mmCIF file with all atom_site columns, all heavy atoms in Angstrom:
data_model
loop_
_atom_site.group_PDB
_atom_site.id
_atom_site.type_symbol
_atom_site.label_atom_id
_atom_site.label_alt_id
_atom_site.label_comp_id
_atom_site.label_asym_id
_atom_site.label_entity_id
_atom_site.label_seq_id
_atom_site.pdbx_PDB_ins_code
_atom_site.Cartn_x
_atom_site.Cartn_y
_atom_site.Cartn_z
_atom_site.occupancy
_atom_site.B_iso_or_equiv
_atom_site.pdbx_formal_charge
_atom_site.auth_seq_id
_atom_site.auth_comp_id
_atom_site.auth_asym_id
_atom_site.auth_atom_id
_atom_site.pdbx_PDB_model_num
ATOM 1   N N   . LEU A 1 246 ? 4.345   -6.868  22.431 1.00 0.00 ? 246 LEU A N   1
ATOM 2   C CA  . LEU A 1 246 ? 3.221   -7.141  21.533 1.00 0.00 ? 246 LEU A CA  1
ATOM 3   C C   . LEU A 1 246 ? 2.257   -5.976  21.699 1.00 0.00 ? 246 LEU A C   1
ATOM 4   O O   . LEU A 1 246 ? 1.734   -5.746  22.794 1.00 0.00 ? 246 LEU A O   1
ATOM 5   C CB  . LEU A 1 246 ? 2.533   -8.447  21.928 1.00 0.00 ? 246 LEU A CB  1
ATOM 6   C CG  . LEU A 1 246 ? 1.312   -8.829  21.096 1.00 0.00 ? 246 LEU A CG  1
ATOM 7   C CD1 . LEU A 1 246 ? 1.697   -9.147  19.650 1.00 0.00 ? 246 LEU A CD1 1
ATOM 8   C CD2 . LEU A 1 246 ? 0.571   -10.019 21.707 1.00 0.00 ? 246 LEU A CD2 1
ATOM 9   N N   . VAL A 1 247 ? 2.074   -5.213  20.617 1.00 0.00 ? 247 VAL A N   1
ATOM 10  C CA  . VAL A 1 247 ? 1.257   -4.014  20.693 1.00 0.00 ? 247 VAL A CA  1
ATOM 11  C C   . VAL A 1 247 ? 0.244   -3.976  19.555 1.00 0.00 ? 247 VAL A C   1
ATOM 12  O O   . VAL A 1 247 ? 0.363   -4.748  18.579 1.00 0.00 ? 247 VAL A O   1
ATOM 13  C CB  . VAL A 1 247 ? 2.133   -2.717  20.617 1.00 0.00 ? 247 VAL A CB  1
ATOM 14  C CG1 . VAL A 1 247 ? 3.157   -2.678  21.746 1.00 0.00 ? 247 VAL A CG1 1
ATOM 15  C CG2 . VAL A 1 247 ? 2.837   -2.605  19.262 1.00 0.00 ? 247 VAL A CG2 1
ATOM 16  N N   . HIS A 1 248 ? -0.703  -3.047  19.672 1.00 0.00 ? 248 HIS A N   1
ATOM 17  C CA  . HIS A 1 248 ? -1.634  -2.849  18.571 1.00 0.00 ? 248 HIS A CA  1
ATOM 18  C C   . HIS A 1 248 ? -0.897  -2.086  17.455 1.00 0.00 ? 248 HIS A C   1
ATOM 19  O O   . HIS A 1 248 ? -0.230  -1.098  17.743 1.00 0.00 ? 248 HIS A O   1
ATOM 20  C CB  . HIS A 1 248 ? -2.851  -2.064  19.067 1.00 0.00 ? 248 HIS A CB  1
ATOM 21  C CG  . HIS A 1 248 ? -3.926  -1.980  18.029 1.00 0.00 ? 248 HIS A CG  1
ATOM 22  N ND1 . HIS A 1 248 ? -3.917  -1.008  17.056 1.00 0.00 ? 248 HIS A ND1 1
ATOM 23  C CD2 . HIS A 1 248 ? -4.990  -2.770  17.778 1.00 0.00 ? 248 HIS A CD2 1
ATOM 24  C CE1 . HIS A 1 248 ? -4.942  -1.212  16.245 1.00 0.00 ? 248 HIS A CE1 1
ATOM 25  N NE2 . HIS A 1 248 ? -5.614  -2.270  16.674 1.00 0.00 ? 248 HIS A NE2 1
ATOM 26  N N   . PRO A 1 249 ? -0.994  -2.532  16.199 1.00 0.00 ? 249 PRO A N   1
ATOM 27  C CA  . PRO A 1 249 ? -0.180  -1.899  15.141 1.00 0.00 ? 249 PRO A CA  1
ATOM 28  C C   . PRO A 1 249 ? -0.441  -0.416  14.908 1.00 0.00 ? 249 PRO A C   1
ATOM 29  O O   . PRO A 1 249 ? 0.443   0.271   14.424 1.00 0.00 ? 249 PRO A O   1
ATOM 30  C CB  . PRO A 1 249 ? -0.535  -2.698  13.883 1.00 0.00 ? 249 PRO A CB  1
ATOM 31  C CG  . PRO A 1 249 ? -1.193  -3.925  14.347 1.00 0.00 ? 249 PRO A CG  1
ATOM 32  C CD  . PRO A 1 249 ? -1.779  -3.663  15.695 1.00 0.00 ? 249 PRO A CD  1
ATOM 33  N N   . GLN A 1 250 ? -1.645  0.065   15.236 1.00 0.00 ? 250 GLN A N   1
ATOM 34  C CA  . GLN A 1 250 ? -1.891  1.501   15.023 1.00 0.00 ? 250 GLN A CA  1
ATOM 35  C C   . GLN A 1 250 ? -1.683  2.313   16.303 1.00 0.00 ? 250 GLN A C   1
ATOM 36  O O   . GLN A 1 250 ? -0.999  3.318   16.302 1.00 0.00 ? 250 GLN A O   1
ATOM 37  C CB  . GLN A 1 250 ? -3.315  1.761   14.519 1.00 0.00 ? 250 GLN A CB  1
ATOM 38  C CG  . GLN A 1 250 ? -3.483  1.563   13.032 1.00 0.00 ? 250 GLN A CG  1
ATOM 39  C CD  . GLN A 1 250 ? -4.070  0.193   12.722 1.00 0.00 ? 250 GLN A CD  1
ATOM 40  O OE1 . GLN A 1 250 ? -5.067  -0.207  13.321 1.00 0.00 ? 250 GLN A OE1 1
ATOM 41  N NE2 . GLN A 1 250 ? -3.458  -0.546  11.824 1.00 0.00 ? 250 GLN A NE2 1
ATOM 42  N N   . SER A 1 251 ? -2.280  1.855   17.398 1.00 0.00 ? 251 SER A N   1
ATOM 43  C CA  . SER A 1 251 ? -2.173  2.658   18.625 1.00 0.00 ? 251 SER A CA  1
ATOM 44  C C   . SER A 1 251 ? -0.843  2.431   19.337 1.00 0.00 ? 251 SER A C   1
ATOM 45  O O   . SER A 1 251 ? -0.436  3.229   20.163 1.00 0.00 ? 251 SER A O   1
ATOM 46  C CB  . SER A 1 251 ? -3.323  2.295   19.588 1.00 0.00 ? 251 SER A CB  1
ATOM 47  O OG  . SER A 1 251 ? -3.073  1.009   20.144 1.00 0.00 ? 251 SER A OG  1
ATOM 48  N N   . LEU A 1 252 ? -0.176  1.344   19.008 1.00 0.00 ? 252 LEU A N   1
ATOM 49  C CA  . LEU A 1 252 ? 1.106   0.939   19.616 1.00 0.00 ? 252 LEU A CA  1
ATOM 50  C C   . LEU A 1 252 ? 0.992   0.643   21.108 1.00 0.00 ? 252 LEU A C   1
ATOM 51  O O   . LEU A 1 252 ? 1.991   0.589   21.818 1.00 0.00 ? 252 LEU A O   1
ATOM 52  C CB  . LEU A 1 252 ? 2.218   1.970   19.346 1.00 0.00 ? 252 LEU A CB  1
ATOM 53  C CG  . LEU A 1 252 ? 2.511   2.287   17.865 1.00 0.00 ? 252 LEU A CG  1
ATOM 54  C CD1 . LEU A 1 252 ? 3.680   3.274   17.743 1.00 0.00 ? 252 LEU A CD1 1
ATOM 55  C CD2 . LEU A 1 252 ? 2.855   1.014   17.075 1.00 0.00 ? 252 LEU A CD2 1
ATOM 56  N N   . GLN A 1 253 ? -0.238  0.490   21.586 1.00 0.00 ? 253 GLN A N   1
ATOM 57  C CA  . GLN A 1 253 ? -0.421  0.166   23.003 1.00 0.00 ? 253 GLN A CA  1
ATOM 58  C C   . GLN A 1 253 ? -0.301  -1.343  23.204 1.00 0.00 ? 253 GLN A C   1
ATOM 59  O O   . GLN A 1 253 ? -0.786  -2.129  22.374 1.00 0.00 ? 253 GLN A O   1
ATOM 60  C CB  . GLN A 1 253 ? -1.794  0.646   23.502 1.00 0.00 ? 253 GLN A CB  1
ATOM 61  C CG  . GLN A 1 253 ? -1.973  2.159   23.413 1.00 0.00 ? 253 GLN A CG  1
ATOM 62  C CD  . GLN A 1 253 ? -0.811  2.916   24.038 1.00 0.00 ? 253 GLN A CD  1
ATOM 63  O OE1 . GLN A 1 253 ? -0.561  2.811   25.244 1.00 0.00 ? 253 GLN A OE1 1
ATOM 64  N NE2 . GLN A 1 253 ? -0.076  3.647   23.221 1.00 0.00 ? 253 GLN A NE2 1
ATOM 65  N N   . PRO A 1 254 ? 0.342   -1.777  24.296 1.00 0.00 ? 254 PRO A N   1
ATOM 66  C CA  . PRO A 1 254 ? 0.494   -3.195  24.561 1.00 0.00 ? 254 PRO A CA  1
ATOM 67  C C   . PRO A 1 254 ? -0.863  -3.900  24.593 1.00 0.00 ? 254 PRO A C   1
ATOM 68  O O   . PRO A 1 254 ? -1.845  -3.309  25.055 1.00 0.00 ? 254 PRO A O   1
ATOM 69  C CB  . PRO A 1 254 ? 1.140   -3.248  25.942 1.00 0.00 ? 254 PRO A CB  1
ATOM 70  C CG  . PRO A 1 254 ? 1.809   -1.927  26.096 1.00 0.00 ? 254 PRO A CG  1
ATOM 71  C CD  . PRO A 1 254 ? 0.964   -0.937  25.329 1.00 0.00 ? 254 PRO A CD  1
ATOM 72  N N   . ILE A 1 255 ? -0.920  -5.110  24.055 1.00 0.00 ? 255 ILE A N   1
ATOM 73  C CA  . ILE A 1 255 ? -2.179  -5.839  24.105 1.00 0.00 ? 255 ILE A CA  1
ATOM 74  C C   . ILE A 1 255 ? -1.960  -7.172  24.817 1.00 0.00 ? 255 ILE A C   1
ATOM 75  O O   . ILE A 1 255 ? -0.907  -7.784  24.728 1.00 0.00 ? 255 ILE A O   1
ATOM 76  C CB  . ILE A 1 255 ? -2.802  -6.080  22.695 1.00 0.00 ? 255 ILE A CB  1
ATOM 77  C CG1 . ILE A 1 255 ? -1.745  -6.577  21.688 1.00 0.00 ? 255 ILE A CG1 1
ATOM 78  C CG2 . ILE A 1 255 ? -3.450  -4.829  22.178 1.00 0.00 ? 255 ILE A CG2 1
ATOM 79  C CD1 . ILE A 1 255 ? -2.299  -6.841  20.303 1.00 0.00 ? 255 ILE A CD1 1
ATOM 80  N N   . GLU A 1 256 ? -2.985  -7.604  25.520 1.00 0.00 ? 256 GLU A N   1
ATOM 81  C CA  . GLU A 1 256 ? -2.936  -8.850  26.284 1.00 0.00 ? 256 GLU A CA  1
ATOM 82  C C   . GLU A 1 256 ? -3.270  -10.039 25.397 1.00 0.00 ? 256 GLU A C   1
ATOM 83  O O   . GLU A 1 256 ? -2.809  -11.142 25.606 1.00 0.00 ? 256 GLU A O   1
ATOM 84  C CB  . GLU A 1 256 ? -3.928  -8.809  27.457 1.00 0.00 ? 256 GLU A CB  1
ATOM 85  C CG  . GLU A 1 256 ? -3.499  -7.920  28.593 1.00 0.00 ? 256 GLU A CG  1
ATOM 86  C CD  . GLU A 1 256 ? -2.092  -8.234  29.095 1.00 0.00 ? 256 GLU A CD  1
ATOM 87  O OE1 . GLU A 1 256 ? -1.770  -9.422  29.268 1.00 0.00 ? 256 GLU A OE1 1
ATOM 88  O OE2 . GLU A 1 256 ? -1.285  -7.279  29.267 1.00 0.00 ? 256 GLU A OE2 1
ATOM 89  N N   . GLN A 1 257 ? -4.104  -9.751  24.400 1.00 0.00 ? 257 GLN A N   1
ATOM 90  C CA  . GLN A 1 257 ? -4.592  -10.833 23.546 1.00 0.00 ? 257 GLN A CA  1
ATOM 91  C C   . GLN A 1 257 ? -4.861  -10.246 22.157 1.00 0.00 ? 257 GLN A C   1
ATOM 92  O O   . GLN A 1 257 ? -5.370  -9.143  22.054 1.00 0.00 ? 257 GLN A O   1
ATOM 93  C CB  . GLN A 1 257 ? -5.893  -11.346 24.152 1.00 0.00 ? 257 GLN A CB  1
ATOM 94  C CG  . GLN A 1 257 ? -6.470  -12.481 23.378 1.00 0.00 ? 257 GLN A CG  1
ATOM 95  C CD  . GLN A 1 257 ? -7.680  -13.058 24.096 1.00 0.00 ? 257 GLN A CD  1
ATOM 96  O OE1 . GLN A 1 257 ? -7.675  -13.239 25.304 1.00 0.00 ? 257 GLN A OE1 1
ATOM 97  N NE2 . GLN A 1 257 ? -8.712  -13.338 23.317 1.00 0.00 ? 257 GLN A NE2 1
ATOM 98  N N   . ILE A 1 258 ? -4.529  -11.013 21.127 1.00 0.00 ? 258 ILE A N   1
ATOM 99  C CA  . ILE A 1 258 ? -4.742  -10.497 19.769 1.00 0.00 ? 258 ILE A CA  1
ATOM 100 C C   . ILE A 1 258 ? -6.198  -10.743 19.376 1.00 0.00 ? 258 ILE A C   1
ATOM 101 O O   . ILE A 1 258 ? -6.650  -11.880 19.329 1.00 0.00 ? 258 ILE A O   1
ATOM 102 C CB  . ILE A 1 258 ? -3.802  -11.164 18.759 1.00 0.00 ? 258 ILE A CB  1
ATOM 103 C CG1 . ILE A 1 258 ? -2.348  -10.894 19.153 1.00 0.00 ? 258 ILE A CG1 1
ATOM 104 C CG2 . ILE A 1 258 ? -4.079  -10.671 17.342 1.00 0.00 ? 258 ILE A CG2 1
ATOM 105 C CD1 . ILE A 1 258 ? -1.328  -11.581 18.298 1.00 0.00 ? 258 ILE A CD1 1
ATOM 106 N N   . GLU A 1 259 ? -6.893  -9.648  19.083 1.00 0.00 ? 259 GLU A N   1
ATOM 107 C CA  . GLU A 1 259 ? -8.284  -9.777  18.620 1.00 0.00 ? 259 GLU A CA  1
ATOM 108 C C   . GLU A 1 259 ? -8.275  -9.810  17.095 1.00 0.00 ? 259 GLU A C   1
ATOM 109 O O   . GLU A 1 259 ? -8.752  -10.756 16.496 1.00 0.00 ? 259 GLU A O   1
ATOM 110 C CB  . GLU A 1 259 ? -9.145  -8.602  19.094 1.00 0.00 ? 259 GLU A CB  1
ATOM 111 C CG  . GLU A 1 259 ? -9.223  -8.427  20.616 1.00 0.00 ? 259 GLU A CG  1
ATOM 112 C CD  . GLU A 1 259 ? -9.911  -9.588  21.328 1.00 0.00 ? 259 GLU A CD  1
ATOM 113 O OE1 . GLU A 1 259 ? -10.589 -10.371 20.639 1.00 0.00 ? 259 GLU A OE1 1
ATOM 114 O OE2 . GLU A 1 259 ? -9.720  -9.721  22.562 1.00 0.00 ? 259 GLU A OE2 1
#
Side-chain angles (χ1 to χ4, degrees):
L246 179 67
V247 301
H248 187 275
Q250 278 98 49
S251 73
L252 303 182
Q253 298 310 297
I255 46 179
E256 286 308 315
Q257 182 174 317
I258 300 176
E259 300 296 343

